[in-house]
Amino acid sequence: MERSRDGKGETCRSRRVEGSDAFSSERILVLNPASGNRDHAPAVESRAVEHGFQVHETTERGDAEQIARLAANAGVSVIAVAGGDGTVHEVVAGLYDVGALAEVDCAVVPAGTANVFARRLGIADIEEGFRTIERAETRRFDVGVANDEPFVGTCLVGVTAEANTTTTDEAKRRLGVFAYARTALRLLSDYEGRPLRVTIRDEKRATDDRWSGDVFLLLVGNAAGFPAFRGLAATNPEDGRFDVLIVEDRPTADLLDPRTMARLFDDGPITRREGSALTIAARRSDSVPFSLDGELRLATEIEVRMLAQRLSVYVGRDYDLVSDY
């Protein structure tokens, strides 16, 4: 462990945090130095120490989840996350595992490739992340749970999910967010869709909406936006409901046109629904790849439920419940 010269904060670079005695501050920052283009760690660490955070660096997948779990048990009150959507996902999973979603305030310092969740919070960059922490305005966000794993942004099935999870780290460092678009375009020409049965339950209205067919893309949105869908606003992450989009057909747009990703699904049949719970089941015995906040999983059936207004999150000055980002 390295202590800062002014004593305000400290940095922990141990490979694994082993117990609650590793936390000497009520405010910690989980730093993933491998996120994004990998050049953010010194600046984030310096700013975190200035703001009185104890910094814990991750060195491998799963570290952020373990740090969050142990920090919550140690009574830490604020966890900031400096990384991408995958690091945020791990921290939320750690809090969920120990039943601490409602007990710890979460902050995001965007340092990943896409930073989808940070943008939904109205946080554009690292400096804005720290300004948001000092403003200390929090909101209670919904948390989705898919097969007992939480997600804050999206649960995806289909071509976008597979593009998100097959894009290489090297491509993300070189191309940034355009790396995902390039992978999606490569998959589009051969993608045949996934045969699924989908049941969308609305507990408030006590209704079930059933759908069956071949899915090109299924998006369950919690705190998310729809940049590829013209005219659709970002989801409201505080209303206790998911936005569900089902795209059945491959888009007919020219896949070599650079504008394709901006209007990818404008001309295909889209089913849009809202609900508080879903069952997504494969119509064959094959496992279905799906992603939670960009993290790949496999299942023949996915049960999705809502934890309404469960997670306390710092929001940026530009945060808006329903506008596009």
Side-chain angles (χ1 to χ4, degrees):
M1 178 182 292
E2 295 181 0
R3 290 191 179 274
S4 67
R5 293 181 182 177
D6 60 8
K8 288 183 179 178
E10 54 192 27
T11 302
C12 298
R13 289 196 177 89
S14 56
R15 182 166 180 78
R16 302 288 286 180
V17 175
E18 297 297 342
S20 60
D21 57 351
F23 303 98
S24 58
S25 172
E26 290 188 358
R27 304 209 308 176
I28 72 164
L29 181 139
V30 179
L31 170 60
N32 183 349
S35 292
N37 58 16
R38 300 189 176 188
D39 65 356
H40 58 277
V44 169
E45 185 174 309
S46 174
R47 297 288 282 129
V49 169
E50 288 174 8
H51 284 74
F53 282 88
Q54 182 186 40
V55 180
H56 290 266
E57 271 191 23
T58 65
T59 59
E60 61 187 21
R61 187 179 293 273
D63 278 0
E65 183 172 345
Q66 184 200 35
I67 292 167
R69 187 185 302 117
L70 292 172
N73 284 337
V76 168
S77 60
V78 178
I79 298 180
V81 188
D85 295 307
T87 313
V88 173
H89 179 85
E90 283 196 20
V91 167
V92 172
L95 296 178
Y96 173 79
D97 284 347
V98 295
L101 286 174
E103 275 71 58
V104 178
D105 291 336
C106 289
V108 179
V109 177
T113 301
N115 300 312
V116 172
F117 188 58
R119 287 187 287 125
R120 185 65 189 90
L121 297 175
I123 302 172
D125 54 32
I126 288 171
E127 286 303 315
E128 182 59 31
F130 283 106
R131 284 194 294 269
T132 294
I133 292 168
E134 293 312 307
R135 284 180 62 243
E137 179 184 347
T138 61
R139 304 292 288 257
R140 287 279 176 182
F141 271 29
D142 303 331
V143 175
V145 178
N147 290 1
D148 205 32
E149 181 176 356
F151 65 95
V152 292
T154 57
C155 172
L156 296 172
V157 180
V159 67
T160 304
E162 295 178 37
N164 284 353
T165 56
T166 57
T167 301
T168 66
D169 289 341
E170 190 276 333
K172 287 186 279 188
R173 283 193 296 274
R174 227 171 8 94
L175 302 174
V177 69
F178 295 106
Y180 298 110
R182 189 186 70 166
T183 305
L185 289 174
R186 190 175 67 245
L187 293 173
L188 278 171
S189 59
D190 297 323
Y191 196 82
E192 297 181 353
R194 294 278 176 184
L196 299 177
R197 289 189 304 273
V198 182
T199 302
I200 304 167
R201 294 181 291 281
D202 189 326
E203 295 175 358
K204 188 180 239 182
R205 298 184 178 93
T207 60
D208 283 0
D209 191 351
R210 300 178 187 276
W211 185 95
S212 181
D214 289 344
V215 171
F216 190 77
L217 169 65
L218 169 61
L219 185 151
V220 182
N222 182 41
F226 302 103
F229 298 87
R230 184 175 300 158
L232 291 183
T235 57
N236 181 341
E238 302 178 37
D239 64 354
R241 299 165 69 76
F242 298 113
D243 274 72
V244 183
L245 293 178
I246 303 173
V247 181
E248 299 175 48
D249 292 339
R250 182 185 295 112
T252 59
D254 179 2
L255 299 184
L256 298 179
D257 186 329
R259 297 168 297 176
T260 292
M261 290 306 293
R263 55 186 175 84
L264 192 56
F265 304 112
D266 282 353
D267 55 355
I270 297 176
T271 299
R272 183 175 185 182
R273 296 288 185 270
E274 292 183 348
S276 53
L278 298 89
T279 300
I280 304 165
R283 286 164 49 209
R284 297 197 295 254
S285 59
D286 302 344
S287 293
V288 176
F290 66 102
S291 71
L292 301 178
D293 299 329
E295 300 298 302
L296 181 64
R297 303 291 183 261
L298 289 170
T300 55
E301 185 169 291
I302 308 162
E303 290 287 347
V304 185
R305 59 189 174 90
M306 172 65 74
L307 301 177
Q309 297 186 342
R310 189 65 59 89
L311 181 68
S312 177
V313 185
Y314 288 84
V315 295
R317 192 181 302 276
D318 294 331
Y319 170 69
D320 191 306
L321 274 178
V322 295
S323 66
D324 287 317
Y325 63 79

